[in-house]
Amino acid sequence: MLAQQRQAAILERVRATGGVRVTELAAEFGVSDMTIRRDLEALHERGLLAKVHGGATAAGPGSTDEPGFRAKSVRQLAEKAAIAGRAAELVRPGAAVALSAGTTTAELARRLVDVPGLTVVTNSLPVAEILHAGGRSDQTVVLTGGVRTPSDALVGPLAVAAIRSLHLDLLFLGVHGITERAGFTTPNLMEAETDRALVAAADRLVVLADHTKWGTVGISSIVELPAAHLLVTDDRLPPDARRVLDDRVGELVVVPVTGAGRTATTTDEGMAR
């Protein structure tokens, strides 16, 4: 088998299964481990897969890849429900809160429809629609203007100008990715600017992010990790990520995806309990 044919077969395997091991491929194709490593290196250099220790995995999305709201809304449903349920406990009647765009913040909006006297500022079309359709008559929903993104966010100068005149108690921020170096990120440059305006307008920042956001990097950083007063995530977050976030954010809250009524919390004093 020619190298080109072998590499095409390897790539098909990675796309079908999500990952391959050097030793297994070497045995399957009857070649040395070194030959397979060269194949993986060639595919990695073309951006077709990601090399890992002992093998390779499917290439991750680019830093500007921005899935639409509908596509994201069917992912990690249990995790988002658990995170939103915990976040809703932070909202008091009569508060002025902001909800950024995102499917987790939309899930939170569904849990806020019965909070009396609530004022919600949002740049999310789905969040505004949820509260408009199901919210109380004594609630106020403020939808910023702006340019619509694939994730149904309103961004840009109009959104930023509207937000800068406001003073809010809480911001619930959905993010595209989290890393120790880049902080909280988004794949949309204008959305990052709009999110930073929301952060500046709020007394407290609460980031809502399921475990899949760890290790993902969008093209633009919103804020660094220490800017978050609270990060609410789920219990599938890897231990190494918990250690980093427990050290860097104000407070890390890890909610169990299964088991009603339990909330595991980590603070500056220790790991999840």
Side-chain angles (χ1 to χ4, degrees):
M1 179 181 289
L2 298 175
Q4 185 175 2
Q5 294 173 312
R6 189 173 57 249
Q7 289 170 17
I10 291 171
L11 185 59
E12 182 177 353
R13 176 71 60 81
V14 170
R15 288 172 174 169
T17 65
V20 292
R21 292 184 177 276
V22 169
T23 53
E24 293 175 355
L25 292 175
E28 179 178 343
F29 292 112
V31 297
S32 68
D33 287 4
M34 185 58 67
T35 297
I36 294 298
R37 293 184 193 281
R38 284 196 293 265
D39 289 336
L40 297 182
E41 180 65 31
L43 293 168
H44 173 75
E45 289 180 353
R46 292 160 58 191
L48 299 176
L49 53 71
K51 288 178 58 182
V52 297
H53 181 69
T57 62
S63 61
T64 60
D65 181 69
E66 186 175 6
F69 182 90
R70 186 180 298 273
K72 292 188 292 183
S73 66
V74 296
R75 303 174 183 174
Q76 285 75 51
L77 297 179
E79 288 88 341
K80 291 172 183 175
I83 291 167
R86 177 62 180 86
E89 298 174 9
L90 303 173
V91 180
R92 299 290 178 260
V97 303
L99 273 64
S100 78
T103 52
T104 308
T105 52
E107 190 66 28
L108 172 60
R110 296 184 178 93
R111 288 161 170 75
L112 300 183
V113 294
D114 293 323
V115 179
L118 191 64
T119 296
V120 177
V121 175
T122 186
N123 67 323
S124 166
L125 292 167
V127 166
E129 179 57 31
I130 289 166
L131 292 166
H132 173 74
R136 295 168 53 103
S137 60
D138 60 355
Q139 291 182 343
T140 300
V141 180
V142 179
L143 179 63
T144 71
V147 178
R148 186 172 184 169
T149 72
S151 59
D152 286 347
L154 297 177
V155 301
L158 289 176
V160 171
I163 294 163
R164 281 179 175 165
S165 64
L166 303 174
H167 304 281
L168 306 165
D169 299 315
L170 279 172
L171 164 61
F172 293 98
L173 179 69
V175 299
H176 175 76
I178 309 172
T179 67
E180 184 175 9
R181 180 183 64 83
F184 302 108
T185 63
T186 173
N188 188 297
L189 292 170
M190 287 199 296
E191 187 163 6
E193 182 183 14
T194 305
D195 285 343
R196 283 192 289 271
L198 286 168
V199 171
D203 288 339
R204 297 188 71 211
L205 169 60
V206 181
V207 177
L208 309 181
D210 67 72
H211 69 279
T212 64
K213 305 301 176 67
W214 176 255
T216 298
V217 183
I219 192 173
S220 184
S221 294
I222 303 168
V223 290
E224 295 182 349
L225 298 181
H229 295 90
L230 196 70
L231 170 58
V232 186
T233 187
D234 65 86
D235 58 2
R236 292 184 63 189
L237 188 72
D240 61 328
R242 293 195 190 195
R243 286 190 290 270
V244 170
L245 294 171
D246 187 56
D247 181 61
R248 298 293 304 279
V249 303
E251 182 180 357
L252 179 65
V253 174
V254 182
V255 295
V257 176
T258 58
R262 293 189 305 111
T263 299
T265 305
T266 69
T267 68
D268 293 336
E269 299 177 350
M271 293 301 296
R273 55 185 183 274

